[in-house]
Each structure stands twice: as structure tokens, then as C-alpha cells.
Amino acid sequence: MVRGTGLNNLSSQNTINIDYVLVTIHKVNFKFNTSVLESKKEQLNEVKQSILDKQTRKDTVMEFVKELEKKEVLTEFDKEVWMSMVDCVTVHHEGRVEFKFLDGSLIEVEK
């Protein structure tokens, strides 16, 4: 035979368990959404930095082009032009030469 108090206790325990489950689910969802938000913020910051880097390179190239437009056609070596374009030159032991430019491009010349 089932007593009323037993059913009340069972019903009360189920309610507490359901509330606990709902609160736990809410916490998990909140943590998940927070981590997704942080991930998206990080991606946004990376994109912003990439845009800033590209804008800086563009400004540098535009400044270089303006300087070149002021000059006549080069007929001899110009140290200023060289320094404004070339980041470094690597000469390999087999004779291959790599020119790395300030814009990040790379040209290889074989012997």
C-alpha cells in the first residue's frame, strides 16, 4: 500500500533533481557559449591584426611608389631604392641567391 507522504517525498525529490539538472544544463550552456564567444573574439582580433598589417604594407608600398615617381629612370645603382625594397639577400653554398623583399615576396636566382 502506498502512503501519501511517500508519494509526496518522491515527487519532491524528483522536482529537486529536475531543478538540479536544469541548472546544470544552464551552466554548461553558459560555459559553452562563453568559450565560443572567446574563440570568436580571438578570431576577430586576428583578422583585425591581419588587416592592420596589410594596410601598413600598402602604405609602405604607396610611399615607395611616390618616391619612385619623383625620380628619373634608374641608370645606376641607387642605395635608397635598394634599401627601400630589399629586406635581405641570402647566398647559398651552391650559388643560388634569394632576394627577400620588404613586402614578403621572394625571388630566387640560380647560378
Side-chain angles (χ1 to χ4, degrees):
M1 186 167 204
V2 178
R3 297 173 120 179
T5 57
L7 286 177
N8 287 339
N9 287 341
L10 182 60
S11 177
S12 174
Q13 287 175 350
N14 286 343
T15 301
I16 292 170
N17 289 339
I18 289 172
D19 289 342
Y20 175 77
V21 169
L22 291 175
V23 168
T24 303
I25 289 171
H26 176 73
K27 287 179 181 178
V28 168
N29 283 337
F30 180 77
K31 286 180 182 179
F32 174 76
N33 288 335
T34 301
S35 67
V36 168
L37 178 62
E38 290 301 318
S39 173
K40 295 301 179 187
K41 282 182 181 179
E42 188 176 315
Q43 288 176 355
L44 178 60
N45 288 336
E46 289 172 3
V47 168
K48 284 180 178 179
Q49 186 60 48
S50 176
I51 290 170
L52 182 62
D53 292 345
K54 288 178 182 179
Q55 183 63 44
T56 301
R57 282 192 300 193
K58 177 188 171 199
D59 293 345
T60 302
V61 169
M62 293 306 292
E63 187 177 313
F64 173 72
V65 168
K66 286 179 185 177
E67 287 298 316
L68 280 181
E69 287 174 344
K70 293 179 188 176
K71 297 185 178 200
E72 297 293 319
V73 174
L74 294 177
T75 57
E76 59 185 41
F77 180 79
D78 185 331
K79 182 179 178 181
E80 288 182 34
V81 172
W82 177 266
M83 297 300 290
S84 67
M85 291 179 60
V86 179
D87 181 31
C88 68
V89 177
T90 305
V91 179
H92 298 273
H93 71 279
E94 73 276 3
R96 184 171 48 96
V97 180
E98 292 179 343
F99 295 88
K100 182 177 179 189
F101 294 91
L102 294 174
D103 70 353
S105 61
L106 184 70
I107 294 177
E108 293 185 30
V109 179
E110 296 291 331
K111 182 177 178 183

